[in-house]
Structure formats: structure tokens, C-alpha cells
């Protein structure tokens, strides 16, 4: 027997309608190049979003057509998300930090018809205009007064683009599986691959995101997504925050600026901020240098890379801020796990709590996960067995865009994350490595992430990366690569002595090298492929 409930499609336009009706007075604050303190309400935002939707329809876009954005986090970018996705078009977000040839590949592969860009990226787009001949025009996210001179064809300022449009727009009643957003994985090997989010997956992901054990979002919150709108939908905050009616603060181009972030957090009384670990290093360093405490921030969601214990401690001990680690990936919209305490854990000592907080967290409802051995056999949740981490759920990619059968749910409906992990008895998952970064020593796996996390606990270590170096007896041995804190002179011997006892004996790095800089990907992760190239043929001490 079928239930007798309405078959209402799950559409992102329904989030917008709900937020407009229930929280019209809620504020959205942005830093933009043309206005460092732009503030307006949800009501203004949705009025302009409807104008923008009308402008897109006038361009002659058809359902499913892609339009690219290449922009920082601000209110115009948010309006674009909803105007495109809500009308049945696809918002293709592009990371401006990628190489021009990667951006060219993405625009051409996605067949983007128009591009919306911040003024700052106009020269970049001009440099690839001949290689992207199918783009019909460019909307520059500013007003006429700040419009840069440009040779881009059909370039128009955003404010002119929407100025004469009606603010009435009937959001179409789409199929809930209609695509809403497109984001390419950075593709450290091979071409980038497109992940295509649907209305349904985005709404379900937003429902899951607001839950107490995940982002714990409500109308009372003020949210600062430092994670970019071009990186997996700023982890879903444009949908989750509006669904909850939270105030939003967008840092625009000030993303990596510790001082600017500190003032935004304080002045806007932000309660939740989200971002990758590198961003928070800049913020914590600034706060320390001026001896100030973060007064309003309640919690941070940190993910995208492992969060060092020292960071969790510093947030808690210096600022009374709880770090909640999250893990996920572009293919997962991105939320997979969140690290919140279970009942009874409040009795643990603070030291024991820190030990749990460094784990990547428990599966959130909607995501099933398991770890498997090389033959695909499921491994126990005992906190010891390492295996390839596989996931499935309604916001996990089933196939890459235009690459049918390429790699989504390849393993009996499960998606292989490319991560290696353990899961403990309580369900807390710990990433030990990317499959391709795992170090095999004497037939056993060594976790490069754990060595890195331990090494950054040393006060003279600013950043650490571990790669495997070929070894005649053990196949591979770990090499620790370190960037020292400025003016600190720690030596190889001192660092190795300090690591003794903190790592299993056979996990101890075989050698330590000091470098000025560790290479990063466009999303701020350590670029191990590059490091392996730099250290190819490196001879370990005998
Ligand atoms: P890309 O694939 O472009 O590098 P993603 O953001 O999709 O970008 O990266 C996802 C990967 O990042 C995960 O598979 C995992 O390896 C790593 N990652 C994400 N969050 C964490 C975390 N909290 N701890 C450790 N690694 C993480």
C-alpha cells in the first residue's frame, strides 16, 4: 500500500520561498570590491534574485543550460546561485585559483553559455577568450561605476544586467532531479571531472546540514562561510543557512586575511564560521599577535584537510570556541561526517575530548559508510582496521558529468572516496590517507596524515608533509618535509627526538628535510604529487 502524502518536489526555489516568507528581515552582509560593507536583507536579496532570473530567461537560456561563475563569496554570487538553480539552469562554479588551461577545459567541457565574474578575474578571462569561443557573453559582478574596461564580448555590469527587470518571477515547478549546480574536482591527476548536483540532493543535504550534530543551525545563528562558494557550494551553506534563516556574512576577497576575518567575526557577532585549516591559521595568528580573544564565535566547522590537534586546542583554550571537524568531498555535496560528541562523552576529561575531536567524525544521516580491504570485504569498526572508505546516499555522485560509467557508484552502488580510513566502535571515522598517498612499509600501511599532525604539534613547525620514499628493504619509508616557523631553527635530530614515543616506532620518519614552502593545490591542500616529483630519487640516510 502506498502512503497518502503529497508528492511535493524538493526544489531549491522552495528554500528561497520559505526564507522570504519567514525571515525577510534577516541580514546578509558582504565585503565586495565596490563596497567593503554591503548590507541588505533576505527580502532585498530575493527581489534581486527574481530580477536576475528574468534577465537569464531573456538571454534565451534553455532548461539545463550551464552558466559559469568565477567569483568570491558575496551577495551577488548568492543571488546567482538561486536565480540559476531555481529557474532550471545550472550554476557552474569555477575556482579562480586554478591554472588558465584548467579553467578553459572546464568552461568548454561544461559548454557554459555565459560567465559571471568578479572584476578581478576579467584579465584572466580575457587571456582565455580565444580558447573559449562558445561563451556568448560576460556579466561583471559590479555596477557601471566600477565596471573595468574590457575586451570581453557582450560584457555588461551585473547591476545594469538586472536593472530594468521585473521583480515578479514565477519559479518553475521543476522535476526535483533537475540539475542545479556543477563543480569540477581539481583533478590532481588527469582532467577535472564534473559533479552535477540536483535540486533534490541539494535540499536533502541542506536538511541534513542544519541538524544539531552537524552545523546546528537556527534562525539565531550568524554564519560566516570562509569556504568559497566555488568550492563545493561553500559546503552547502547557501542552502542550509537560508533554510534555517541565519544571518550570513560573506568575506568577499578577504578570505585569507586573518585581520579582516577577525573584525568581521567580532563586528557581525558571528556564531558559526566554516573553512579549511589554513584559513584558521591566519586568523589564530592574527588574534595572537594582537592579544585579542574571539568573543562571539561559538563553533567552527573545519574540514577539507585534517585538523591538527594544536588548532583544536588553541580555539578552545584561547577563544572558548569548539572545533567541529567535518569530512567530505566534492562528489558528496560535500558533507559526509561531522564530529560531535555522543551522549556520555561530556564526562570525559578535556584531554580525552581533544583525542576524539581530531577524528573526522560520525556519518551524518543520509550517508552510509564502510571500509573494505583490497578484495572489497568489509572490515570491522574497531578503530584499528584500515581500509578503502566507501559511501552511498542521495547526495553522493552516481556518475561524473558527460562521463557515463566513469566512476560514480562503481562498487555495487557504493562510491569509492579514494580515502583510507579506520572507523572505531563508536562510529568515529579517522582518515589515515588518500589511497594514492598511502605509504607501504614492510607490507603494512603508514598514515602520512598522522605523522604530519603529530609533527605540527612541535612549536617550531609551521607546516609538515610526509611522502613515501623508495626503500630497498621496506618498499617505502616516510620522509618528513617541514616548513619552520619564522626565526626558528629546529634541527632534524631535535625533531626526530621529539617525535620519539609519539608515533609507533616503525612509523618514525626516516629523515627530515626543511623547505621554505610546501606546494598547495587550488583548494589549499598539500600537493603530494608535486612533492613526490621534487623528491624523486631522494636518498634516505643509511
Ligand atoms: P579535491 O577532490 O578537489 O581535492 P575535495 O574538497 O573534494 O577536493 O577533497 C576531498 C578530500 O579532502 C577527501 O577525500 C579527503 O581526502 C580530504 N578531506 C576532506 N576533509 C577532510 C578532513 N576533515 N580530514 C582529512 N581529510 C579530509
Amino acid at each position: 500500500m502506498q502512503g497518502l502524502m503529497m508528492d511535493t518536489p524538493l526544489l531549491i526555489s522552495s528554500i528561497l520561498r520559505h526564507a522570504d516568507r519567514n525571515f525577510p528581515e534577516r541580514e546578509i552582509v558582504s565585503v565586495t570590491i565596490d563596497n567593503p560593507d554591503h548590507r541588505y536583507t533576505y527580502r532585498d536579496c530575493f527581489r534581486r534574485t527574481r530580477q536576475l532570473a528574468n534577465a537569464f530567461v531573456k538571454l534565451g537560456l534553455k532548461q539545463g543550460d550551464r552558466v559559469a561563475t568565477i567569483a568570491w563569496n558575496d551577495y551577488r554570487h548568492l543571488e546567482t546561485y538561486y536565480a540559476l538553480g531555481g529557474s532550471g539552469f545550472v550554476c557552474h562554479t569555477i575556482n579562480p585559483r586554478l591554472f588558465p588551461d584548467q579553467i578553459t577545459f572546464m568552461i568548454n567541457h561544461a559548454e557554459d553559455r555565459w560567465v559571471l565574474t568578479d572584476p578581478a578575474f576579467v584579465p584572466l578571462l580575457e587571456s582565455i577568450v580565444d580558447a573559449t569561443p562558445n561563451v556568448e557573453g560576460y556579466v561583471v559582478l559590479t555596477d557601471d561605476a566600477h565596471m573595468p574596461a574590457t575586451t570581453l564580448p557582450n560584457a555588461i555590469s551585473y547591476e545594469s544586467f538586472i536593472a530594468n527587470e521585473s521583480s515578479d518571477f514565477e519559479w518553475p515547478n521543476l522535476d526535483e532531479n533537475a540539475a542545479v549546480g556543477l563543480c569540477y574536482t581539481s583533478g590532481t591527476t588527469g582532467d577535472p571531472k564534473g559533479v552535477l548536483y540536483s535540486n533534490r540532493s541539494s535540499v536533502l543535504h541542506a536538511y541534513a546540514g542544519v541538524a544539531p550534530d552537524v552545523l546546528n543551525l537556527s534562525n539565531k545563528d550568524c554564519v560566516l562561510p570562509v569556504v568559497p562558494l566555488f568550492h563545493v557550494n561553500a559546503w552547502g551553506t547557501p542552502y542550509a543557512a537560508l533554510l534555517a534563516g541565519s544571518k550570513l556574512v560573506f568575506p568577499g576577497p578577504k578570505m585569507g586575511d586573518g585581520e579582516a576575518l577577525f573584525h568581521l567575526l567580532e563586528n557581525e557577532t558571528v556564531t558559526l564560521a566554516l573553512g579549511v585549516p589554513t584559513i584558521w591559521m591566519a586568523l589564530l595568528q592574527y588574534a595572537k599577535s594582537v592579544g585579542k580573544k574571539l568573543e562571539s564565535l561559538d563553533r567552527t566547522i573545519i574540514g577539507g584537510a585534517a585538523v591538527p590537534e594544536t588548532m583544536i586546542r588553541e580555539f578552545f583554550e584561547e577563544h572558548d570556541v569548539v572545533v567541529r571537524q567535518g569530512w567530505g568531498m566534492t562528489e558528496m555535496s560535500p558533507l559526509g561526517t561531522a564530529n560531535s560528541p555522543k551522549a556520555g562523552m561530556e564526562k570525559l576529561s578535556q584531554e580525552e575530548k581533544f583525542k576524539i575531536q581530531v577524528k573526522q567524525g560520525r556519518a551524518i544521516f543520509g550517508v552510509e559508510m564502510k571500509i573494505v580491504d583490497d578484495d572489497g570485504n568489509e572490515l570491522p569498526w574497531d578503530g584499528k582496521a584500515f581500509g578503502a572508505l566507501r559511501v552511498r546516499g542521495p547526495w553522493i555522485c552516481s556518475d561524473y558529468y558527460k562521463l557515463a560509467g566513469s566512476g560514480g557508484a562503481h562498487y555495487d552502488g557504493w562510491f569509492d572516496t579514494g580515502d583510507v580510513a579506520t572507523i572505531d566502535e563508536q562510529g568515529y571515522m579517522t582518515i589515515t590517507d588518500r589511497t594514492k598517498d598511502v605509504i607501504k612499509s614492510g607490507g603494512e600501511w603508514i598514515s602520512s596524515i598522522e605523522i604530519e599532525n603529530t609533527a605540527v604539534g612541535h612549536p617550531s613547525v609551521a607546516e609538515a608533509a610526509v611522502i613515501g620514499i623508495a626503500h630497498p628493504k621496506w618498499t617505502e619509508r616516510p620522509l618528513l618535509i617541514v616548513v619552520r616557523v619564522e626565526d626558528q631553527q629546529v634541527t632534524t635530530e631535535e625533531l626526530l627526538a621529539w617525535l620519539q614515543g609519539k608515533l609507533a616506532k616503525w612509523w618514525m620518519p626516516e629523515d627530515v628535510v626543511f623547505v621554505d614552502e610546501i606546494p598547495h593545490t587550488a583548494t589549499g591542500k598539500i600537493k603530494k604529487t608535486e612533492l613526490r616529483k621534487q623528491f624523486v630519487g631522494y636518498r634516505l640516510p643509511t
Side-chain angles (χ1 to χ4, degrees):
M1 185 162 61
Q2 298 282 295
L4 291 170
M5 288 290 136
M6 291 186 194
D7 191 16
T8 311
L10 301 174
L11 300 177
I12 63 141
S13 56
S14 63
I15 298 181
L16 183 150
R17 266 200 295 257
H18 171 78
D20 200 7
R21 185 89 314 193
N22 293 284
F23 316 112
E25 70 294 338
R26 210 65 177 115
E27 207 179 13
I28 300 174
V29 179
S30 307
V31 177
T32 63
I33 290 170
D34 51 44
N35 185 352
D37 185 23
H38 178 274
R39 38 190 82 230
Y40 72 169
T41 61
Y42 276 22
R43 182 188 291 113
D44 303 325
C45 172
F46 299 142
R47 178 178 43 77
R48 286 164 53 87
T49 301
R50 292 190 297 271
Q51 288 178 277
L52 181 60
N54 278 316
F56 283 133
V57 170
K58 277 213 187 124
L59 291 180
L61 298 182
K62 294 186 306 300
Q63 297 287 292
D65 278 352
R66 277 79 56 212
V67 171
T69 63
I70 178 156
W72 299 118
N73 290 6
D74 68 29
Y75 67 104
R76 292 190 183 106
H77 203 173
L78 178 74
E79 291 166 7
T80 308
Y81 257 65
Y82 277 95
L84 286 171
S87 319
F89 311 130
V90 181
C91 180
H92 170 203
T93 52
I94 298 179
N95 183 343
R97 297 187 190 117
L98 293 168
F99 290 117
D101 57 347
Q102 286 173 306
I103 296 178
T104 305
F105 172 89
M106 290 176 188
I107 291 176
N108 289 334
H109 188 266
E111 300 171 75
D112 294 321
R113 290 189 58 183
W114 278 72
V115 178
L116 278 76
T117 175
D118 273 347
F121 308 122
V122 164
L124 167 71
L125 288 164
E126 283 172 344
S127 76
I128 58 171
V129 75
D130 291 338
T132 52
N134 297 327
V135 177
E136 293 162 38
Y138 296 81
V139 179
V140 184
L141 299 166
T142 187
D143 54 20
D144 280 353
H146 296 87
M147 181 73 180
T150 176
T151 53
L152 289 173
N154 297 323
I156 180 170
S157 81
Y158 183 94
E159 295 305 325
S160 288
F161 186 57
I162 66 167
N164 298 320
E165 299 300 336
S166 160
S167 59
D168 289 329
F169 186 80
E170 202 53 50
W171 297 105
N173 202 22
L174 304 167
D175 174 343
E176 65 176 13
N177 286 306
V180 71
L182 177 64
C183 183
Y184 282 77
T185 60
S186 34
T188 31
T189 51
D191 283 331
K193 295 198 281 279
V195 179
L196 195 55
Y197 309 106
S198 68
N199 274 270
R200 179 182 144 81
S201 70
S202 306
V203 172
L204 289 173
H205 184 263
Y207 270 123
V210 298
D213 275 357
V214 188
L215 307 183
N216 189 16
L217 273 190
S218 82
N219 177 232
K220 294 195 213 86
D221 279 302
C222 174
V223 182
L224 176 67
V226 190
V227 52
L229 286 166
F230 58 72
H231 190 206
V232 217
N233 309 314
W235 299 347
T237 41
Y239 304 128
L242 264 62
L243 184 153
S246 313
K247 174 177 167 183
L248 268 170
V249 181
F250 287 124
K254 298 290 182 188
M255 215 80 99
D257 181 331
E259 180 174 358
L261 287 178
F262 187 92
H263 293 302
L264 274 179
L265 289 164
E266 289 303 282
N267 298 343
E268 303 303 330
T269 55
V270 172
T271 54
L272 169 69
L274 307 91
V276 296
T278 10
I279 295 292
W280 303 130
M281 280 184 204
L283 174 76
L284 291 171
Q285 258 164 26
Y286 171 76
K288 196 181 220 168
S289 70
V290 291
K292 286 192 191 155
K293 179 172 183 268
L294 289 161
E295 298 293 347
S296 70
L297 192 65
D298 172 57
R299 58 201 188 279
T300 65
I301 306 284
I302 313 187
V307 188
E309 188 179 322
T310 42
M311 182 173 284
I312 299 174
R313 270 177 195 277
E314 190 168 343
F315 263 117
F316 186 75
E317 289 169 354
E318 306 298 328
H319 303 283
D320 282 332
V321 171
V322 174
V323 169
R324 185 171 281 187
Q325 181 154 191
W327 162 87
M329 58 198 308
T330 308
E331 288 89 336
M332 298 176 69
S333 300
L335 297 175
T337 63
N339 190 329
S340 49
K342 282 177 108 173
M345 287 184 176
E346 61 284 356
K347 295 195 201 90
L348 298 176
S349 70
Q350 194 50 50
E351 287 306 308
E352 288 168 317
K353 286 182 187 163
F354 288 143
K355 292 283 170 266
I356 295 173
Q357 280 177 285
V358 295
K359 301 181 179 201
Q360 274 64 34
R362 291 182 283 117
I364 63 183
F365 174 68
V367 174
E368 279 181 88
M369 62 180 185
K370 66 176 179 181
I371 42 173
V372 298
D373 66 16
D374 287 347
D375 301 321
N377 302 312
E378 190 163 355
L379 294 167
W381 289 24
D382 60 6
K384 295 189 192 78
F386 286 48
L389 180 63
R390 292 189 184 163
V391 290
R392 66 177 178 194
W395 56 80
I396 295 166
C397 149
S398 61
D399 245 328
Y400 292 104
Y401 179 53
K402 289 209 247 172
L403 288 169
S406 57
H410 254 186
Y411 302 88
D412 281 339
W414 291 77
F415 174 81
D416 194 279
T417 62
D419 285 327
V420 177
T422 61
I423 307 177
D424 69 18
E425 293 86 348
Q426 306 247 48
Y428 288 82
M429 183 273 286
T430 301
I431 300 274
T432 56
D433 255 312
R434 297 280 260 196
T435 318
K436 49 187 188 297
D437 297 336
V438 140
I439 301 169
K440 280 216 164 142
S441 177
E444 302 272 0
W445 285 353
I446 294 180
S447 163
S448 62
I449 294 185
E450 188 162 335
I451 306 176
E452 288 159 8
N453 277 351
T454 311
V456 292
H458 189 286
S460 303
V461 174
E463 195 173 18
V466 171
I467 56 170
I469 297 287
H471 189 279
K473 180 166 175 199
W474 302 109
T475 318
E476 277 186 327
R477 291 293 299 150
L479 170 69
L480 174 60
I481 301 158
V482 165
V483 179
R484 290 191 191 99
V485 172
E486 232 176 283
D487 302 331
Q488 297 283 324
Q489 289 306 328
V490 64
T491 63
T492 298
E493 294 69 31
E494 284 163 355
L495 200 51
L496 287 175
W498 184 86
L499 286 170
Q500 288 283 353
K502 297 186 174 71
L503 293 170
K505 223 168 152 197
W506 60 282
W507 284 26
M508 281 292 290
E510 211 57 33
D511 199 4
V512 182
V513 285
F514 297 97
V515 294
D516 292 334
E517 211 182 333
I518 284 176
H520 290 102
T521 68
T523 51
K525 292 174 204 204
I526 294 174
K527 205 168 183 180
K528 297 241 172 134
T529 44
E530 189 59 40
L531 276 179
R532 279 192 284 266
K533 265 190 227 152
Q534 276 178 24
F535 287 91
V536 75
Y538 185 83
R539 298 273 296 273
L540 292 167
T542 43

